[in-house]
Amino acid sequence: MTGTFPHLLSPMALGPLTLRNRGLVTAHVPGLEEKGLIGPDYIAYQRTKAAGGAGLQISGSSAVHRTGGVGGGRGVNAGTAEVVEGYGRLAEAIHAEGGRFLIQLGHAGATVNDTDAGRPLLAPSPVMSRLVRETPKEMSLGEIDEVVAAFGAAARRVREGGLDGVEILGAFGYLVGAFLSPYSNTRTDAYGGSLENRLRFALRVIDAAREGVGPDRVLGLRLPGDERVEGGLTAGDLQEIGARLAATGKLDHLNVIAGTNYDRKGRMEHWAPTPAPHGEFVPLAAGIKARVAIPVFTTGRITDPRMAEQILARGDADMVGMTRAQISDPDLVAKLMAGQAEDIRPCVGANLCIGRAMEGKPIRCFHNPGAARERSWRSAERATRPRRIAIIGGGPAGLEAARVAAERGHRVTLFEAGEALGGQLRLWSQAPMTAEFAKTVAWYEGQLTRLQVSVRLRERVAPKALAELDADALVIATGAQPLPPGEIAGAEAAQITLLDPWQAIAEPPEGQSIVVVDEGGGRAALSAADRLLGSNRVTVVTAEYAVGELVTPTVRGMIYKRFLSQGAVFRPNELVARIEGRTVITCNIHSGTEQAILEVDALVNWQGAETVSDLHAAAEESGKPVQTIGDCVAPRQVHIAIAEGAMAARAL
């Protein structure tokens, strides 16, 4: 069904290939590689996206040389002949599903902490990346020759493995991009200074890669549209560079992103989470597209197929990266083709996938528990004997349990004591930075309606009623609640209001001075502070080294930007010692020094959560099979609760 999405679902020529549509999965590392090689889990992950209809997929950056990211243990090692066998199995799997796959080749330069004895970081110049903060060695002419040859050899292996081509990574301050930029390239020889000289390394790499991959495979290059750092390449600079690279006649596409990993802030911003604007890098791609005759790709929080369609219809790009959207729902394109756009599980920009990748772990999705578990999870099979299932609790765990159980053919009744479904997700969606989480709740509501799940709101199930429920099996998903605030000296006589984060979010005060104490970690206290910003004076106190220390850095950067621009005050390394009237006294955990926060109206105290376990004993005594899932087992993260919901439903 291409009527609603005629551009997104239309085929396109890419060099010697024809792609079935313009839905792109850009380069990312799923964390499923096996010591740099491609194994069954990696193939299952990528095959699932091809089966879901993706037009083109690109591997995460694959190191071509022993000095360029191999030691980090992440990603595919394209610098060894051993990789060819895995390429072959991957090519067979992708092509069986009608997909196309490129290997992205890169050298991390000074931007990945991959140094070791006898293996310094190599870069155009001894300019330190603020991300790694280690000064690299300036490459000799011999080392330049060696790395150029390594790109050529790595491209040849891609061809030998039967894959569809190569994308050179020239963005993010990786070696090709580092040579292009005056920020990272201060050389005075033939590879530095003028634009012609700074282009020399990229042109040599393109020549080597084209020779290696051959004329009947795709060769593209990923390029920043703007490095967004003082002294770096501007949008105008990169339009000229893009035009010169395209004019070689050896590239089949340019894939445009933004930023450089030489700048720590820029590293985080090119994976912008909610509430960053959707499609924020599109103008950069459009600027380059106006200068070149080859296809141009764009990306950057493009999660809505309607936005992708509009980008293509305007002619701002030829192909649209919807990577996180296809992690959230790998069947995105297939659902569009089937006219089922409303069934697409929406990406809400939580950036759990990126956070896990940065930690070197297999990625996880905020609300797709099958992400990077494709081989072990597969599709849930229909139940051979449909049963009546009662699920108690309509938070994330209960919602997923209800959805999957109903998909399997069970008759499901979902009981929720509150006014609406969603639990803590609905609560967090009231905070500006996480407002998009409401899309997850709305999606579940739509799915439960489609699946004819009986939803019973405002119905608290008493322990004694469990045995009387018309159900063959029970799933307990009653979640967690805030821990009591604990004892704060002077609290009883304090002239301030004491709140927990849930109260602060649900009924935020206005025009007050509020201290938010974050000892429980996670999103609760930060969401409360976010809800209170603007109309209140907010001070965040934590004993950790930094506010939001447990939050993934890509999200933390957005938190800092919003909070500090709204006047919030951060007090890390401090505990609340006591309250004296309207004064909150804090104590530095290292020095013991006390400081006063004056004229406080309210204190939001987050010490963590405790399970709601009042049904556990009665459920066990009911005589019915019972499973307990999510935060009522132990308070943890949303993606774990949702995964446990899916696991419970699969076991029914």
Side-chain angles (χ1 to χ4, degrees):
M1 179 180 178
T2 61
T4 309
F5 301 94
H7 296 87
L8 181 58
L9 298 181
S10 66
M12 69 169 281
L14 184 65
L17 303 180
T18 297
L19 306 180
R20 56 186 170 180
N21 61 63
R22 297 166 188 258
L24 169 67
V25 179
T26 58
H28 64 288
V29 177
L32 300 173
E33 305 79 12
E34 299 178 4
K35 296 182 179 179
L37 301 178
I38 291 171
D41 288 334
Y42 186 93
I43 292 172
Y45 175 83
Q46 301 292 2
R47 183 169 192 156
T48 298
K49 288 173 178 51
L56 178 67
Q57 297 159 247
I58 306 176
S59 78
S61 178
S62 303
V64 301
H65 189 263
R66 62 182 180 83
T67 60
V70 174
R74 294 185 62 245
V76 175
N77 180 5
T80 173
E82 293 179 80
V83 79
V84 174
E85 188 270 338
Y87 283 165
R89 288 185 288 111
L90 177 62
E92 181 180 356
I94 297 295
H95 294 159
E97 303 294 350
R100 298 290 190 176
F101 200 95
L102 308 182
I103 296 293
Q104 187 183 78
L105 300 180
H107 186 293
T111 68
V112 171
N113 189 9
D114 191 30
T115 189
D116 200 353
R119 194 179 68 223
L121 301 183
L122 295 184
S125 304
V127 177
M128 181 175 62
S129 160
R130 297 304 304 168
L131 184 67
V132 175
R133 286 178 286 183
E134 181 169 328
T135 302
K137 174 187 181 296
E138 180 170 299
M139 294 176 72
S140 68
L141 296 180
E143 287 166 334
I144 289 174
D145 291 343
E146 185 178 333
V147 171
V148 168
F151 271 96
R156 186 184 67 252
R157 294 183 190 106
V158 173
R159 177 183 178 83
E160 291 170 353
L163 287 165
D164 299 297
V166 161
E167 181 177 88
I168 298 165
L169 181 51
F172 308 143
Y174 270 55
L175 200 56
V176 171
F179 269 94
L180 292 173
S181 176
Y183 182 90
S184 46
N185 183 352
T186 61
R187 300 175 74 101
T188 57
D189 63 4
Y191 289 90
S194 68
L195 177 56
E196 288 74 15
N197 284 355
R198 286 184 280 114
L199 276 163
R200 195 178 309 278
F201 182 77
L203 294 174
R204 289 191 63 192
V205 168
I206 290 169
D207 286 345
R210 175 51 79 190
E211 181 178 353
V213 80
D216 58 344
R217 299 289 197 278
V218 169
L219 178 62
L221 187 139
R222 195 164 210 196
L223 191 71
D226 189 332
E227 284 198 304
R228 294 183 169 183
V229 62
E230 186 175 352
L233 294 167
T234 66
D237 295 332
L238 283 153
Q239 289 168 19
E240 175 64 20
I241 288 170
R244 294 195 186 200
L245 295 176
T248 64
K250 296 179 179 179
L251 291 176
D252 297 310
H253 74 262
L254 292 173
N255 186 356
V256 180
I257 187 66
T260 173
N261 292 355
Y262 272 82
D263 175 55
R264 182 177 175 85
K265 183 169 174 284
R267 163 71 163 176
M268 304 309 156
E269 289 183 346
H270 66 243
W271 290 317
T274 182
H278 291 264
E280 64 174 327
F281 304 146
V282 173
L284 301 177
I288 290 176
K289 180 170 167 56
R291 298 283 304 275
V292 304
I294 60 175
V296 172
F297 304 167
T298 190
T299 190
R301 282 215 82 203
I302 303 170
T303 61
D304 186 338
R306 291 167 297 183
M307 172 178 275
E309 177 66 22
Q310 292 165 3
I311 291 166
L312 295 167
R314 290 195 305 265
D316 289 342
D318 301 286
M319 198 164 201
V320 179
M322 303 182 70
T323 308
R324 283 175 284 181
Q326 291 179 87
I327 293 172
S328 180
D329 194 334
D331 294 323
L332 183 150
V333 174
K335 288 178 180 178
L336 293 179
M337 291 289 293
Q340 299 170 347
E342 71 280 0
D343 289 331
I344 295 171
R345 185 190 287 107
C347 172
V348 297
N351 264 22
L352 174 66
C353 53
I354 302 299
R356 294 272 301 192
M358 292 181 69
E359 294 172 4
K361 300 176 181 178
I363 64 169
R364 294 286 179 257
C365 176
F366 187 66
H367 61 175
N368 173 16
R373 293 185 176 107
E374 289 78 9
R375 193 160 70 101
S376 58
W377 283 55
R378 306 180 187 272
S379 297
E381 297 179 355
R382 295 283 294 183
T384 56
R385 184 171 63 88
R387 304 162 76 190
R388 296 163 299 169
I389 310 298
I391 299 175
I392 320 300
L399 289 170
E400 179 70 358
R403 184 189 73 82
V404 176
E407 285 273 17
R408 297 190 61 219
H410 295 300
R411 288 169 289 170
V412 179
T413 302
L414 176 61
F415 296 89
E416 167 54 45
E419 298 285 328
L421 297 173
Q424 291 182 60
L425 276 185
R426 185 174 291 277
L427 187 74
W428 292 346
S429 69
Q430 297 179 54
M433 285 196 65
T434 47
E436 286 191 54
F437 289 5
K439 295 179 183 178
T440 297
V441 179
W443 181 78
Y444 272 117
E445 290 174 331
Q447 295 301 297
L448 298 192
T449 298
R450 177 179 67 83
L451 294 164
Q452 300 182 353
V453 171
S454 175
V455 176
R456 309 266 287 269
L457 297 175
R458 297 176 294 279
E459 191 162 339
R460 184 179 297 278
V461 177
K464 63 181 181 181
L466 286 176
E468 301 169 4
L469 289 177
D470 183 21
D472 301 312
L474 305 175
V475 178
I476 308 299
T478 47
Q481 62 190 5
L483 279 167
E487 295 185 5
I488 301 177
E492 292 184 0
Q495 300 170 23
I496 64 177
T497 304
L498 298 178
L499 303 169
D500 65 48
W502 298 6
Q503 293 169 327
I505 293 171
E507 298 182 19
E510 294 186 4
Q512 297 189 6
S513 174
I514 301 176
V515 173
V516 177
V517 179
D518 183 9
E519 293 308 313
R523 286 192 178 267
L526 297 175
S527 292
D530 182 32
R531 181 86 157 110
L532 296 168
L533 286 175
S535 59
N536 299 284
R537 300 184 305 280
V538 176
T539 301
V540 182
V541 177
T542 179
E544 304 300 328
Y545 289 110
V547 169
E549 193 169 87
L550 299 182
V551 177
T552 175
T554 63
V555 174
R556 196 186 313 158
M558 292 295 296
I559 290 171
Y560 278 40
K561 181 177 181 179
R562 171 167 160 75
F563 280 34
L564 296 176
S565 65
Q566 292 284 326
V569 176
F570 289 172
R571 303 280 289 266
N573 303 301
E574 295 183 19
L575 288 169
V576 172
R578 61 188 181 279
I579 302 172
E580 297 176 354
R582 290 185 60 202
T583 299
V584 173
I585 308 297
T586 67
C587 176
N588 186 282
I589 63 170
H590 304 293
S591 68
T593 304
E594 292 189 347
Q595 296 190 64
I597 305 173
L598 305 175
E599 298 181 357
V600 175
D601 297 298
L603 185 142
V604 180
N605 193 0
W606 175 242
Q607 300 292 326
E610 62 182 357
T611 60
V612 176
S613 56
D614 58 314
L615 297 182
H616 289 188
E620 294 294 337
E621 295 169 1
S622 68
K624 304 177 188 292
V626 60
Q627 295 188 66
T628 305
I629 60 174
D631 279 7
C632 69
V633 176
R636 290 157 293 163
Q637 299 180 55
V638 171
H639 73 97
I640 295 175
I642 290 176
E644 289 187 353
M647 291 166 62
R650 285 164 174 263
L652 290 169

